[in-house]
Amino acid sequence: MSGAEEGLRERKKRETRQRIADIAMGLFLQRGFDNVTVAEVARAADVSVNTVFNYFTTKEDLFLDRSDEVESLPRKVIEERRPGETAVQALRRDFFDALDTGDWRYGMHEGSDMFARRVRESPSLSARLVLLDYNREEQFAKALADATDADPDDLTPWLVASQMNATLRTLSRRFTMRQMAGEDTGRVLEDIRLDARQAFELLENGVGDYALRRAGDAGAQSEEIAPDRVQT
């Protein structure tokens, strides 16, 4: 088979996969994930059930057809960081680029509220989202470890990865909750920009003396307890 023929075949496979996923998502959003069968998706897409499973291992994969892209995003962001740019700075740049262009990759776009509702309605989808988030964090850690030639026992990449991933998860949740409450998407995005600036500043500069209890604060000890004093 020639290269051109192979390219055409792969393109047709990608198009078929995308068409099935788009049709499935339309049905899921309209009726609910648990109320739609794979057989119904196959009929709507005019393919066999076996064809659907040739492209998607599980029904959940039909709903989360971009999960591979989400999980691989950390490695892409970190590997493509610019000279003189840290991992956090690269993530910040990519995050705001997604907001500016309306890209879906961080879950902040029109219609994400309906996506979230369908996930909440389905225990199996909720479980898959937890796994997806864990896998994304693991990809962050591995990409950071590779970028810094970290020792296998070095905990630093994992600690940094957990903070980066938690920032994305928190911002995404905040956006979705406000959208689900019926707020205007444009207004929510404006506020998310402010939230994101604060979040990434914390990532870049650390939490420092956040929540420091000062002498005289309500409930604070009137005097410091020396390290060598033990109260019983």
Side-chain angles (χ1 to χ4, degrees):
M1 181 180 296
S2 68
E5 291 174 330
E6 181 66 21
L8 178 61
R9 180 181 178 183
E10 291 304 312
R11 179 173 62 82
K12 287 184 175 180
K13 288 174 65 176
R14 285 196 301 272
E15 290 174 349
T16 298
R17 184 184 190 279
Q18 191 61 57
R19 183 171 63 85
I20 294 172
D22 289 345
I23 289 172
M25 182 58 77
L27 293 173
F28 293 148
L29 293 181
Q30 180 181 17
R31 295 166 49 194
F33 179 77
D34 293 333
N35 297 324
V36 177
T37 66
V38 175
E40 289 175 312
V41 172
R43 284 197 296 271
D46 195 26
V47 297
S48 69
V49 171
N50 285 341
T51 297
V52 173
F53 282 120
N54 283 340
Y55 289 98
F56 303 94
T57 305
T58 67
K59 181 182 171 184
E60 288 74 22
D61 291 331
L62 273 169
F63 190 90
L64 301 169
D65 63 300
R66 292 177 169 179
S67 59
D68 287 345
E69 295 173 64
V70 173
E71 292 176 7
S72 64
L73 178 62
R75 182 164 295 280
K76 180 176 183 293
V77 168
I78 292 170
E79 289 181 348
E80 295 181 1
R81 67 194 188 286
R82 297 168 180 173
E85 191 174 55
T86 67
V88 170
Q89 290 168 344
L91 180 62
R92 177 176 186 158
R93 174 173 52 79
D94 193 67
F95 180 88
F96 279 102
D97 176 74
L99 289 188
D100 292 339
T101 60
D103 191 86
W104 62 271
R105 62 187 180 273
Y106 292 104
M108 300 183 194
H109 53 86
E110 196 73 51
S112 63
D113 55 333
M114 183 59 70
F115 180 94
R117 286 191 178 93
R118 292 299 179 244
V119 170
R120 290 187 172 202
E121 294 167 354
S122 172
S124 64
L125 281 180
S126 296
R128 276 293 301 274
L129 257 293
V130 171
L131 178 61
L132 187 153
D133 186 67
Y134 173 83
N135 288 340
R136 183 175 65 176
E137 184 170 313
E138 185 177 48
Q139 288 301 314
F140 264 126
K142 290 180 177 179
L144 288 169
D146 290 343
T148 59
D149 293 322
D151 186 273
D153 295 327
D154 188 353
L155 191 60
T156 305
W158 296 90
L159 292 172
V160 175
S162 67
Q163 294 174 55
M164 293 172 71
N165 195 53
T167 295
L168 295 180
R169 183 172 59 248
T170 301
L171 291 171
S172 177
R173 181 184 294 120
R174 190 173 182 85
F175 173 84
T176 301
M177 293 299 293
R178 291 186 59 179
Q179 199 180 49
M180 290 176 69
E183 296 188 49
D184 176 70
T185 300
R187 175 60 186 274
V188 176
L189 284 172
E190 289 179 12
D191 290 345
I192 285 294
R193 291 177 187 278
L194 298 177
D195 293 335
R197 290 192 185 100
Q198 177 187 8
F200 282 106
E201 295 236 345
L202 285 172
L203 268 182
E204 290 185 76
N205 302 315
V207 297
D209 61 358
Y210 177 72
L212 171 68
R213 172 172 276 183
R214 303 180 186 279
D217 288 351
Q221 296 284 346
S222 60
E223 62 177 1
E224 293 185 0
I225 300 175
D228 59 344
R229 288 178 56 188
V230 179
Q231 292 182 332
T232 58

